[in-house]
Amino acid sequence: MKRVPPEQAKALMDEGYVYVDVRSIPEFEQGHPEGAYNVPIAHLGSMGMAPNADFLAVMQKHFAPDAKLLVGCQSGGRSLHAATLLEQVGYTTVVDQRAGFGGTPVEAGWRSLGLPTGRAAQAGRSYEELAKR
């Protein structure tokens, strides 16, 4: 699987890759890469994070197996897991963004590099909208 730093992820978006932010809804709403879709790999609940049983179904409903997907999260762990799952079900062009939105102790993330961010999801890109369609 190809893993790229945030700057390269932005370049891939400029080339037509779709950014899928797999963080929880509250995390996404506090800031995300501009233009990202939100499909959480896990939901934040009163007991902490719980797997999103509908993750693959929502992805398969909205993105073709040959879609150019760029997957990101907060620091790189959840996105790597999500990208691996997507490859296992037949997605052929999945790239994982290392360091995520927030970064890690050894690598700057999307936000700290000053790459374009948003707080509100673009029409049709929030999880609530994607899960309904």
Side-chain angles (χ1 to χ4, degrees):
M1 169 177 315
K2 185 174 184 179
R3 301 189 79 206
V4 300
E7 302 95 336
Q8 192 174 351
K10 172 65 171 98
L12 289 172
M13 287 178 71
D14 293 342
E15 295 172 13
Y17 275 72
V18 173
Y19 195 106
V20 179
D21 189 324
V22 299
R23 294 178 300 152
S24 68
I25 295 167
E27 290 173 296
F28 182 82
E29 290 174 345
Q30 290 185 6
H32 54 266
E34 186 72 39
Y37 287 79
N38 183 215
V39 183
I41 188 82
H43 291 297
L44 183 60
S46 60
M47 302 293 288
M49 298 299 275
N52 177 3
D54 296 324
F55 173 75
L56 286 174
V58 171
M59 289 298 297
Q60 291 171 320
K61 187 173 187 179
H62 295 286
F63 302 102
D66 63 348
K68 293 179 177 180
L69 299 177
L70 179 60
V71 184
C73 64
Q74 183 64 21
S75 61
R78 285 177 280 176
S79 63
L80 180 58
H81 176 66
T84 301
L85 287 175
L86 292 168
E87 284 188 339
Q88 288 174 351
V89 298
Y91 282 84
T92 57
T93 312
V94 181
V95 177
D96 176 46
Q97 186 214 302
R98 295 191 324 251
F101 189 70
T104 70
V106 297
E107 187 171 11
W110 186 281
R111 179 181 46 217
S112 59
L113 290 170
L115 297 170
T117 63
R119 290 188 76 125
Q122 292 179 358
R125 296 183 182 202
S126 73
Y127 184 66
E128 181 178 278
E129 293 171 292
L130 294 167
K132 284 183 183 176
R133 293 193 272 169

